[in-house]
Amino acid sequence: MEFSTFIDNEGQIVRKDTGEHVFMQGDSDSSLYLIKRGIVKAYYVTDEGQERVKSFLTEGDVIGSTAAAYQKQPTSFGLVCLEPTTLVKFSFDKLHSATLENHQLANELIEFLLRFAMKKEGRERELLCYSAEQRYQNLLKNQPELVDKVTQNDIARYLA
């Protein structure tokens, strides 16, 4: 079974308006979400109440809190829609179970996780080694569509 077939069989369409949360930091949400249309912002709120933007996600991206999905802990970050958004919600537990029985699906999940790990490694390198100006130039290069759709405040929180 391919991942797209799994999504077609198990996924549930969710529509959110601008400003609506998919989930908030501290919620219990063990689902994963495939973004079909729209832009979402993943963010943390510090103990001091400051918002830090983790990432912006667009069509084709998959997001969810692995702490909540795999370890059944509260979500460690929030996910809010920056424009009207259509997502496909699916169960992490069902996906995990299906990969144990289906090698094609397991291999697709491994490939996804490798791409995800490389993306996280790149973000970590940016935060630790690049200036805010260099991070902004990377944003312009890699996701130019965001500059017109995301507020300057959100971009500043992403670069900080």
Side-chain angles (χ1 to χ4, degrees):
M1 170 187 334
E2 293 182 349
F3 180 70
S4 60
T5 303
F6 175 85
I7 292 295
D8 289 343
N9 292 340
E10 300 293 335
Q12 171 188 3
I13 298 291
V14 175
R15 289 183 175 80
K16 299 283 186 178
D17 287 326
T18 303
E20 275 193 273
H21 278 83
V22 178
F23 55 81
M24 295 182 72
Q25 186 172 320
D27 284 353
S28 175
D29 188 330
S30 61
S31 298
L32 298 178
Y33 298 87
L34 168 66
I35 301 165
K36 297 295 275 183
R37 185 178 56 87
I39 298 174
V40 298
K41 173 180 71 173
Y43 68 97
Y44 298 101
V45 176
T46 67
D47 291 341
E48 294 79 30
Q50 294 182 323
E51 183 180 298
R52 306 275 192 219
V53 176
K54 167 181 159 62
S55 58
F56 300 105
L57 300 114
T58 58
E59 183 178 320
D61 287 331
V62 175
I63 185 76
S65 171
T66 51
Y70 187 68
Q71 296 181 322
K72 308 305 181 213
Q73 297 177 358
T75 57
S76 60
F77 61 93
L79 192 62
V80 66
C81 299
L82 300 181
E83 63 183 29
T85 302
T86 303
L87 309 106
V88 180
K89 177 180 180 176
F90 58 98
S91 165
F92 171 81
D93 290 335
K94 285 184 181 180
L95 175 62
H96 187 250
S97 293
T99 61
L100 298 175
E101 299 173 9
N102 185 295
H103 291 292
Q104 181 179 358
L105 187 57
N107 287 336
E108 286 188 46
L109 183 58
I110 289 168
E111 287 298 317
F112 166 78
L113 291 172
L114 288 170
R115 286 190 306 273
F116 180 71
M118 289 184 290
K119 182 179 177 180
K120 298 289 276 185
E121 183 177 325
R123 177 75 169 136
E124 182 179 85
R125 185 174 199 285
E126 280 186 353
L127 288 170
L128 295 173
C129 299
Y130 296 174
S131 69
E133 175 63 28
Q134 289 170 311
R135 290 193 298 275
Y136 181 66
Q137 292 303 321
N138 280 348
L139 180 66
L140 291 176
K141 178 183 172 187
N142 297 322
Q143 293 181 291
E145 70 282 359
L146 289 178
V147 178
D148 293 331
K149 295 184 175 190
V150 175
T151 69
Q152 291 295 312
N153 284 339
D154 279 341
I155 290 174
R157 288 186 204 104
Y158 176 75
L159 298 174

